[in-house]
Amino acid sequence: MKVTRKAYAKINLGLDVTGKRADGYHLVRMIMQTVDLYDVLSFSKREDGQIHIMTQSQGIPTDQHNLIWKVCALLTEQYKITDGVDITLEKNIPVAAGMAGGSTDAAAAFLGMNELFQLGLTRQQMCEQGVKLGADIPYCIMGGTALSEGIGEILTPLPDMPDCQILIAKPAIGVSTRWVYTELDNSEISVHPDIDGIRQAIERQDLQGIQVRLGNVLESVTTAKYTIIRQIEKLMKENGAGGAMMSGSGPTVFGIYDDRAAAQKSYAVLEKSGLCPELYLSAPINPGQ
């Protein structure tokens, strides 16, 4: 038996940090959105009890340092699974990009293991397990459009985002999430994004209202070191994006466009600029539907 799962990337339409817990986790309020860009994971049983990950992508660990491995080990121990598992990972989401690539692969591992070994877990149960390994994992298990609070584990589903096109641009740099949050701790947040306004715009199906309210408190940290992010945003806005912003801790930038023609034009301009070797035309989706 072979089980195949798509692991969808996310963007943050809004990202605010409201505090920090004693254990070091940051308290957040975020509007999360799944986009149609995904890794593909395949799962099959093996007889020797080992967890074995194979991938074509260089630089990705295939041992206990990989979140996929950690999910499989957690479920194997908790549910006394004696079989091992072979996992094949086809990586399409940019690495170290602020798009929850590792977390969404972990979410797919929960879903894949649940199906392969017929564990009967609900999504809520998987979310409760997932937050032990990473704050973004519960959202990636749920997917769609959601308000994320706490450390990321308190999720409120929202109506689907209005139809639009999303251009995703990843410059040739990687950003450490830990570094970004450390730098944020050493500075003062002067402007907080309008998370409630973004939520209300989604509920009204007001695409322009979403575009003009995009906000990410981590941007000031990352862009101070990597000015290329602002250059990409500027090009997107000059070529039809109603709004453009860095996703997560970066460095990926996304632009929101009313129609595909505008997004394609912007794609061509960015491709010619040479600023971002990785470009993807995408759209918001709700994989849970």
Side-chain angles (χ1 to χ4, degrees):
M1 179 181 177
K2 183 178 180 181
V3 171
T4 300
R5 282 280 177 177
K6 292 179 179 177
Y8 289 93
K10 65 83 184 166
I11 57 173
N12 303 90
L13 301 175
L15 193 163
D16 195 10
V17 176
T18 60
K20 189 177 181 180
R21 299 196 319 192
D23 61 5
Y25 274 102
H26 288 82
L27 298 171
V28 296
R29 291 192 80 222
M30 305 183 289
I31 303 289
M32 312 280 270
Q33 177 60 54
T34 308
V35 294
D36 194 16
L37 170 64
Y38 53 84
D39 297 340
V40 180
L41 289 83
S42 298
F43 304 83
S44 57
K45 296 178 183 178
R46 54 187 291 153
E47 296 179 354
D48 61 4
Q50 299 297 307
I51 300 166
H52 186 236
I53 301 172
M54 297 161 286
T55 181
Q56 90 290 3
S57 186
Q58 295 183 351
I60 292 180
T62 56
D63 56 10
Q64 66 271 20
H65 297 99
N66 189 306
L67 279 173
I68 298 168
W69 194 98
K70 291 180 180 180
V71 170
C72 295
L74 174 72
L75 294 177
T76 295
E77 180 179 359
Q78 186 164 347
Y79 294 94
K80 306 294 187 283
I81 297 169
T82 55
D83 286 324
V85 59
D86 275 320
I87 307 111
T88 301
L89 169 63
E90 177 189 318
K91 196 72 185 161
N92 300 305
I93 301 169
V95 177
M99 300 190 76
S103 294
T104 193
D105 289 344
F110 272 108
L111 295 164
M113 290 285 286
N114 190 42
E115 183 177 352
L116 184 66
F117 292 102
Q118 299 180 328
L119 302 178
L121 296 170
T122 65
R123 287 193 180 237
Q124 181 58 38
Q125 288 172 320
M126 286 185 274
C127 287
E128 290 168 2
Q129 298 275 15
V131 75
K132 300 172 187 175
L133 298 176
D136 278 345
I137 295 174
Y139 166 73
C140 292
I141 290 170
M142 188 180 84
T145 313
L147 171 66
S148 173
E149 298 175 288
I151 63 169
E153 86 286 15
I154 304 170
L155 298 168
T156 304
L158 300 177
D160 291 343
M161 188 177 173
D163 288 340
C164 61
Q165 294 291 306
I166 296 175
L167 177 59
I168 296 164
K170 164 72 164 55
I173 53 176
V175 174
S176 163
T177 299
R178 179 175 293 180
W179 172 80
V180 172
Y181 275 98
T182 299
E183 289 295 307
L184 186 75
D185 288 341
N186 295 329
S187 60
E188 185 176 339
I189 301 173
S190 56
V191 179
H192 291 270
D194 185 5
I195 300 298
D196 292 325
I198 298 170
R199 176 180 182 170
Q200 291 159 10
I202 291 169
E203 290 169 344
R204 295 194 306 269
Q205 293 293 286
D206 174 10
L207 183 61
Q208 185 179 7
I210 297 168
Q211 291 169 322
V212 300
R213 289 178 175 85
L214 296 177
N216 180 351
V217 295
L218 303 182
E219 234 189 13
S220 60
V221 172
T222 310
T223 56
K225 185 174 182 180
Y226 302 107
T227 57
I228 191 173
I229 293 168
R230 294 291 191 202
Q231 292 176 263
I232 295 169
E233 290 177 352
K234 184 171 182 287
L235 275 178
M236 285 182 172
K237 291 174 182 177
E238 288 173 349
N239 289 278
M245 189 178 73
M246 185 184 83
S247 183
S249 55
T252 298
V253 177
F254 67 90
I256 302 178
Y257 300 79
D258 294 353
D259 59 71
R260 189 167 182 83
Q264 288 173 327
K265 175 191 172 187
S266 195
Y267 182 107
V269 170
L270 281 164
E271 187 175 41
K272 188 176 180 180
S273 75
L275 292 174
C276 30
E278 295 183 74
L279 283 167
Y280 308 89
L281 272 176
S282 190
I285 61 163
N286 185 346
Q289 288 185 334

